[in-house]
Amino acid sequence: MLLYIVRHGETDWNKRHKVQGRTDIPLNDYGRRLAEETAEGMHDIPLDLAYTSPLLRAKETAQIILRDRNIPLCEDERLQEISFGSYEGLFCGGEQIDEKSEEFNRFFNDTANYIPPADGETISQLYERTGDFLREMEGRKDLAEKNILVSTHGAAMTSLLNRIRGNLSTEHFWKDEVPPNCSVTLVEIKDGKAEILKEGMIFYKEKVKKWKTV
């Protein structure tokens, strides 16, 4: 089994450094263009099935990449972004920074000491639910010869890849940085074990700026 794991395209909240999490923000025009160029780059890759987070930005990215391929697109809540609860909607970077952004920015800058709000989700909870998705894929013998698109989010994707690397550390969650929008990582599942074959593939010409919180 080959998994093509992709982070969604850009949204207006990405561009404005607003905390998204479970807030259901669609792609902006630039994000759709990144997805369209990714679709062009993946045009010759045969895909048999696709899984997506139910959030609009991930689902639309998957739909654009799939184009007119007549294959199932399955929504899976385990692929949703981490919930930031009451932090969602905060400006956490750029020129306009909210007062509570320092507390939120520990999620990126001091992850071991990040404390989510009461209505948010912990990194351990994120590891558990994305890990449950990965374990299911590793056990799906009926999909052993399939190529599968997986459309998800920055933290959820990082959680999946960290588990494959054997890193379940909270402190070093961002050791390999935030995946760029519409970057694709190829994972092979063979004999019930996942392995990263190629990471951070970019199929578009633009140079997307890395996420920074300052």
Side-chain angles (χ1 to χ4, degrees):
M1 182 192 309
L2 291 176
L3 303 180
Y4 292 84
I5 305 176
V6 59
R7 183 188 173 202
H8 63 80
E10 186 187 82
T11 71
D12 283 342
W13 279 27
N14 286 146
K15 188 175 181 178
R16 298 173 66 196
H17 288 275
K18 290 187 74 172
V19 180
Q20 284 184 123
R22 297 285 178 81
T23 305
D24 209 2
I25 307 300
L27 298 179
N28 59 22
D29 288 342
Y30 182 66
R32 292 185 187 99
R33 191 168 87 223
L34 295 183
E36 286 163 1
E37 292 187 30
T38 302
E40 186 63 34
M42 295 182 68
H43 181 266
D44 294 328
I45 297 173
L47 294 171
D48 303 294
L49 180 63
Y51 286 91
T52 182
S53 155
L55 297 175
L56 285 172
R57 57 194 186 271
K59 187 160 64 172
E60 188 177 2
T61 298
Q63 290 167 334
I64 291 171
I65 291 174
L66 293 176
R67 287 182 167 173
D68 55 357
R69 302 182 201 227
N70 186 25
I71 65 172
L73 177 58
C74 308
E75 295 184 23
D76 195 311
E77 292 188 352
R78 294 171 295 182
L79 296 172
Q80 289 189 100
E81 185 56 295
I82 188 171
S83 171
F84 294 117
S86 58
Y87 286 154
E88 294 183 13
L90 289 178
F91 286 94
C92 62
E95 296 179 1
Q96 184 178 357
I97 299 178
D98 285 315
E99 186 177 333
K100 290 187 177 179
S101 65
E102 185 176 349
E103 298 170 27
F104 166 75
N105 279 337
R106 290 195 188 98
F107 179 70
F108 290 105
N109 303 330
D110 186 14
T111 316
N113 293 307
Y114 170 70
I115 300 174
D119 56 349
E121 186 177 20
T122 67
I123 291 173
S124 295
Q125 289 170 324
L126 175 66
Y127 269 136
E128 182 55 36
R129 65 172 167 83
T130 56
D132 187 61
F133 174 82
L134 183 63
R135 286 189 293 270
E136 181 181 321
M137 292 296 102
E138 289 174 332
R140 289 288 299 271
K141 294 182 180 179
D142 58 316
L143 300 179
E145 303 300 321
K146 304 297 185 182
N147 293 343
I148 302 171
L149 179 70
V150 179
S151 185
T152 185
H153 307 264
M157 183 172 178
T158 297
S159 177
L160 281 168
L161 299 182
N162 281 353
R163 181 171 287 275
I164 294 169
R165 296 183 189 104
N167 168 28
L168 293 182
S169 163
T170 298
E171 180 182 2
H172 301 295
F173 185 83
W174 295 114
K175 181 181 177 182
D176 295 277
E177 300 187 333
V178 184
N181 291 113
C182 279
S183 63
V184 181
T185 291
L186 177 59
V187 171
E188 181 182 41
I189 296 179
K190 188 175 182 180
D191 298 326
K193 183 173 176 57
E195 178 185 0
I196 297 171
L197 297 184
K198 196 167 184 180
E199 189 168 358
M201 293 184 287
I202 299 294
F203 294 99
Y204 47 82
K205 302 177 184 66
E206 293 87 342
K207 185 175 182 180
V208 175
K209 293 180 180 179
K210 292 182 178 180
W211 176 272
K212 291 184 179 180
T213 57
V214 179

